[in-house]
Amino acid sequence: MAKGMREIKRQIKSTQNTKQITRAMEMVAAANLRRAQQAAEAARPYSDKLKEVVASIAAGSKGVKHPMLQTREVKKTAYLVITSDRGLAGGYNANVLRKAMTEIRERHQSPSEYAVFVIGRKGSNFFKKRNVEIVQEVTGLPDSPKFSDIKSIAASAVSNFEKGAYDQLFLVYNKFQNAISQVPTMVRLLPMEEVKGASTASYEYEPSAEGVLEVLLPKYAETIIYSAVLEGKASEFGARMTAMNSATKNATKMISSYTLAYNRARQAAITQEIAEIVSGANANA
């Protein structure tokens, strides 16, 4: 009985230590979430306005041609998948990777029909284990990523589309809604889809509409990628905070259960000792 009680006490202590860790991780994730959410929300108006301006120029300039605006026969498709470097974030990575793989399997018959770019170590490991060739990857992003942290992969993905290495470019990431809701999302980044209801304001261009679009379109695509990275970071911290909160609650329940078991074992041990004393006293009477 004493051995069983010692084991229960060890379980209680171990679970208490785990609870302290998950609680601390929850608090850290909550602090990071606030910053990441502010950054994601701040980026949305800029990317939306940039898309509006580009769409307006394209719609109001007849005869303007640019690879990012032209739909062509799809022979090869590229996917830029955004994940995290670390786990312990519930279904954050699993959900977005499942969506990416589902789309790839449904759309393509062979690996020659698609290319994969990856942000995040979890995504990198996932695709490598499945022998999916990764064109380029970025890992080790800070908790508050800057555009410079992902500029190389964003520029590579966009320029390869311009050069015709593939005919479509999709972004796959978790769109942030709130701390407990992150939506696995896939959007076609290139070629740029026509924006319905885009204004066709009259602009004067220097040197030309083509020249303006030549500069703006790559910046637009790279900005959308960066915005998706910020959405992903906010989603990651929201998912981690929720997962650690759930783990903390489970640890509390386990501690209560272990404590109840310990008290019952202790009570049984005391009852047994009393019974032995009474039995010994009766034997000596």
Side-chain angles (χ1 to χ4, degrees):
M1 184 65 71
K3 182 179 179 181
M5 291 174 63
R6 285 196 296 270
E7 179 61 28
I8 294 174
K9 288 189 72 173
R10 280 195 294 269
Q11 290 176 326
I12 292 174
K13 182 64 176 176
S14 175
T15 307
Q16 286 174 335
N17 292 337
T18 299
K19 180 180 176 179
Q20 290 178 342
I21 294 171
T22 57
R23 178 58 180 157
M25 291 181 68
E26 179 187 351
M27 294 175 68
V28 170
N32 285 331
L33 171 60
R34 284 191 290 272
R35 290 192 293 269
Q37 183 176 354
Q38 289 171 355
E41 291 175 348
R44 289 173 186 171
Y46 176 76
S47 60
D48 290 344
K49 188 62 178 179
L50 186 56
K51 183 174 183 178
E52 178 187 325
V53 170
V54 170
S56 178
I57 295 174
S61 305
K62 295 181 179 180
V64 172
K65 293 183 179 181
H66 192 281
M68 292 189 185
L69 300 175
Q70 295 177 333
T71 301
R72 52 191 184 235
E73 181 185 356
V74 179
K75 297 178 181 178
K76 191 167 186 176
T77 302
Y79 300 88
L80 198 163
V81 184
I82 300 172
T83 64
S84 68
D85 287 312
R86 294 172 291 162
L88 299 177
Y92 170 81
N93 289 300
N95 291 338
V96 76
L97 290 169
R98 186 183 303 112
K99 185 169 188 64
M101 285 305 298
T102 297
E103 293 291 339
I104 288 173
R105 286 168 180 157
E106 289 180 354
R107 289 170 177 264
H108 310 293
Q109 300 298 318
S110 71
S112 64
E113 296 179 357
Y114 61 89
V116 175
F117 293 80
V118 181
I119 295 177
R121 189 168 287 108
K122 288 294 182 179
S124 174
N125 293 340
F126 175 88
F127 287 113
K128 286 176 180 177
K129 286 179 180 177
R130 287 156 180 79
N131 297 317
V132 175
E133 183 180 355
I134 298 173
V135 178
Q136 187 173 342
E137 63 181 86
V138 170
T139 59
L141 286 183
D143 290 337
S144 299
K146 296 180 174 60
F147 177 71
S148 58
D149 295 319
I150 57 96
K151 179 173 175 56
S152 63
I153 193 170
S156 177
V158 173
S159 65
N160 275 308
F161 174 85
E162 284 189 272
K163 295 173 184 176
Y166 35 79
D167 308 295
Q168 287 182 320
L169 173 60
F170 286 91
L171 272 176
V172 190
Y173 66 102
N174 277 298
K175 186 174 180 62
F176 179 81
Q177 289 191 325
N178 53 58
I180 60 174
S181 179
Q182 303 85 35
V183 182
T185 302
M186 188 176 87
V187 295
R188 194 183 81 182
L189 178 61
L190 297 172
M192 182 178 171
E193 295 181 354
E194 181 180 350
V195 180
K196 294 181 179 180
S199 62
T200 55
S202 178
Y203 293 103
E204 291 186 4
Y205 306 105
E206 180 64 36
S208 64
E210 289 88 344
V212 172
L213 287 176
E214 192 73 30
V215 174
L216 277 185
L217 280 169
K219 289 187 179 297
Y220 155 75
E222 292 172 5
T223 298
I224 297 301
I225 292 172
Y226 178 56
S227 181
V229 169
L230 296 180
E231 292 276 346
K233 272 296 179 184
S235 296
E236 175 190 346
F237 292 129
R240 182 168 291 115
M241 185 183 73
T242 301
M244 292 302 100
N245 177 266
S246 178
T248 300
K249 289 180 179 179
N250 288 338
T252 300
K253 292 180 181 178
M254 290 175 66
I255 291 170
S256 297
S257 178
Y258 288 144
T259 301
L260 180 60
Y262 176 80
N263 289 337
R264 286 176 175 172
R266 185 166 176 269
Q267 184 178 10
I270 293 172
T271 301
Q272 183 178 349
E273 288 177 7
I274 292 174
E276 290 174 354
I277 292 171
V278 171
S279 178
N282 290 336
N284 294 327

